Amino acid sequence: MIPTIMSKWMSLVSIVLLVGVSLRFRSVNGLSMGYYLMSCPFVDPIVKNTVNRALQNDPTLAASLIRMHFHDCFVEGCDGSILIDSTRDNTAEKDSPANLSLRGYEVIDEIKEQLERQCPGVVSCADIIAMAARDAVFWAGGPFYEIPKGRKDGTRSRIEDTVNLPSPFLNASQLINTFAQRGFTPQQMVALSGAHTLGVARCISFKGRLDGNDPLLSPNFGRALSRTCSNGDNALQTFDATPDSFDNVYYNALSRGAGVLFSDQTLFASPRTRDIVTAYAMNQALFFLDFQRAITKMGLLDVKEGYRGQVRRNCRRVN
Ligand code: HEM
Ligand SMILES: *[C@@H]1O[C@H](CO)[C@@H](O)[C@H](O)[C@H]1NC(C)=O
Ligand SMILES: CC(=O)N[C@H]1CO[C@H](CO)[C@@H](O)[C@@H]1O
């Protein structure tokens, strides 16, 4: 009697375990949640601890790590190409004007060094960026999301490819089109733009709005932006009042006409996206849910699997 119950119970447990395990291993585009379970079991805590330590020293790096993931994925797919240093024969993505303000490369280097010590040649730089961005979102108060891993590193990083990054002068329709080309809906584009809840823009990225021809710029907020720019092209303007917190304050700013980039404010100006901005401004949980889904999807853009890529030993150089 008791053994029968026990064994029934045990088989129930093992079914539950099996389902759980197979879900964890379920592969998305050849990637999987448990990709490093056998080959580098401590990858998640190693990345997380290093990111947390770096962000304790400098909270502003959270923004940069998330932006790094975006720039990596939108140029040549999520393949770590953003990390490659220029050489005598090649000017890399990193040296494009669009990347001049990216920081945090040392954090990735430090994670990579630790992982190379624990499990040499196993964890790709592309996966490290995706995990670091995930941990930065959570560290700053955003949602935690689990991401599939198994991206391989690319070998191409060329300055001319960065034309694929959206410009801050695009209007909502153009942003919708740019993101649609990568398979994103307008709602996902608006959710991803919510990453601007963190960090800063340099004056040079928005000073074109101050020439009096931007119908989206209110005189009041224009004065605030002008004050920032009185300190030069590299002066920094926070996107919202809480630049180190991942929250929905950015959308509230847009609703008040206080979007820093033209591409931010256009999301509230356009009837195609305004209701989404309003919904996120009123409902942070909705923003978090949509953001985690959209950034997970972004992390799958044109990933290189198997023999289409390599695992770089040093994230700054192809092997
Ligand atoms: C919708 C199209 C987008 C445009 C036009 C855009 C443009 C920009 C520009 C011009 C800056 C300021 C750079 C500077 O002046 O140094 C910036 C900063 C930033 N972007 Fe975007 N971005 C877009 C989407 C995204 C997405 C999808 C993410 C991430 C998921 C992202 C994350 C960030 C972050 C976190 C910063 C602040 C960086 C820091 O403080 O170091 N952006 N973006
Ligand atoms: C957005 O920009 C494009 C290209 O400049 C232009 O054709 C279009 O009319 C603009 N849309 C809006 C709503 O301003
Ligand atoms: C952070 C970083 O590596 N930025 C680089 C971007 O490009 C400029 C110009 O080539 C470099 O000087 C920066 O080091």
Side-chain angles (χ1 to χ4, degrees):
M1 178 68 188
I2 285 172
T4 325
I5 292 176
M6 275 293 278
S7 73
K8 273 192 181 145
W9 191 75
M10 288 300 284
S11 55
L12 190 67
V13 167
S14 54
I15 286 171
V16 169
L17 277 177
L18 271 176
V19 171
V21 167
S22 60
L23 276 179
R24 286 190 69 78
F25 277 108
R26 191 186 54 187
S27 109
V28 186
N29 289 358
L31 276 60
S32 62
M33 298 297 187
Y35 191 83
Y36 295 117
L37 208 55
M38 303 300 168
S39 56
C40 198
F42 299 115
V43 62
D44 283 297
I46 289 174
V47 174
K48 188 175 179 180
N49 290 340
T50 311
V51 167
N52 287 0
R53 214 173 332 110
L55 296 184
Q56 266 154 28
N57 277 329
D58 181 359
T60 67
L61 282 179
S64 209
L65 289 173
I66 295 161
R67 185 164 175 240
M68 187 187 286
H69 185 37
F70 167 51
H71 283 206
D72 186 32
C73 292
F74 263 58
V75 183
E76 274 287 304
C78 312
D79 67 347
S81 53
I82 184 72
L83 302 173
I84 293 179
D85 281 341
S86 292
T87 58
R88 216 176 332 121
D89 314 319
N90 180 52
T91 307
E93 288 171 26
K94 197 181 241 191
D95 287 323
S96 129
N99 286 325
L100 287 183
S101 54
L102 269 183
R103 298 167 303 129
Y105 294 114
E106 330 69 49
V107 182
I108 305 294
D109 289 338
E110 199 185 324
I111 295 169
K112 182 62 175 172
E113 273 163 34
Q114 291 191 43
L115 290 173
E116 285 300 300
R117 250 176 272 138
Q118 286 256 340
C119 11
V122 169
V123 183
S124 69
C125 301
D127 276 346
I128 293 175
I129 300 180
M131 288 185 277
R134 171 199 65 189
D135 294 335
V137 168
F138 184 68
W139 191 87
F144 180 77
Y145 51 94
E146 199 37 87
I147 51 168
K149 281 151 281 193
R151 297 163 188 79
K152 288 288 162 62
D153 295 326
T155 52
R156 175 191 170 100
S157 177
R158 291 173 172 272
I159 187 168
E160 58 268 25
D161 295 340
T162 55
V163 293
N164 295 325
L165 289 167
S167 129
F169 315 118
L170 300 186
N171 64 33
S173 304
Q174 294 169 308
L175 289 170
I176 288 173
N177 292 341
T178 310
F179 279 74
Q181 282 164 16
R182 320 283 173 133
F184 293 102
T185 64
Q187 181 148 344
Q188 288 168 335
M189 182 274 289
V190 176
L192 284 173
S193 299
H196 290 176
T197 179
L198 295 177
V200 292
R202 290 165 302 156
C203 165
I204 190 134
S205 302
F206 56 79
K207 76 171 178 186
R209 304 186 67 194
L210 301 172
D211 61 10
N213 295 320
D214 183 345
L216 306 185
L217 186 65
S218 76
N220 245 338
F221 191 61
R223 274 191 289 278
L225 293 184
S226 299
R227 262 197 305 280
T228 299
C229 285
S230 67
N231 294 313
D233 281 356
N234 288 324
L236 302 177
Q237 171 74 43
T238 62
F239 282 109
D240 68 19
T242 56
D244 295 330
S245 305
F246 196 100
D247 52 29
N248 66 342
V249 172
Y250 163 79
Y251 296 105
N252 283 288
L254 300 188
S255 312
R256 282 185 288 105
V260 173
L261 305 176
F262 177 81
S263 55
D264 293 318
Q265 195 55 49
T266 188
L267 300 177
F268 187 72
S270 165
R272 297 178 73 184
T273 46
R274 182 185 303 138
D275 291 349
I276 310 168
V277 171
T278 307
Y280 292 157
M282 292 191 311
N283 187 344
Q284 180 167 275
L286 179 67
F287 164 49
F288 279 14
L289 187 67
D290 284 359
F291 181 83
Q292 74 187 61
R293 286 186 181 149
I295 197 166
T296 304
K297 177 170 172 173
M298 186 183 89
L300 299 175
L301 279 176
D302 196 18
V303 293
K304 301 180 171 59
E305 304 149 35
Y307 294 106
R308 286 184 60 216
Q310 53 179 226
V311 171
R312 264 180 245 142
R313 307 249 160 201
N314 177 331
C315 291
R316 292 175 182 268
R317 290 190 280 281
V318 299
N319 289 346

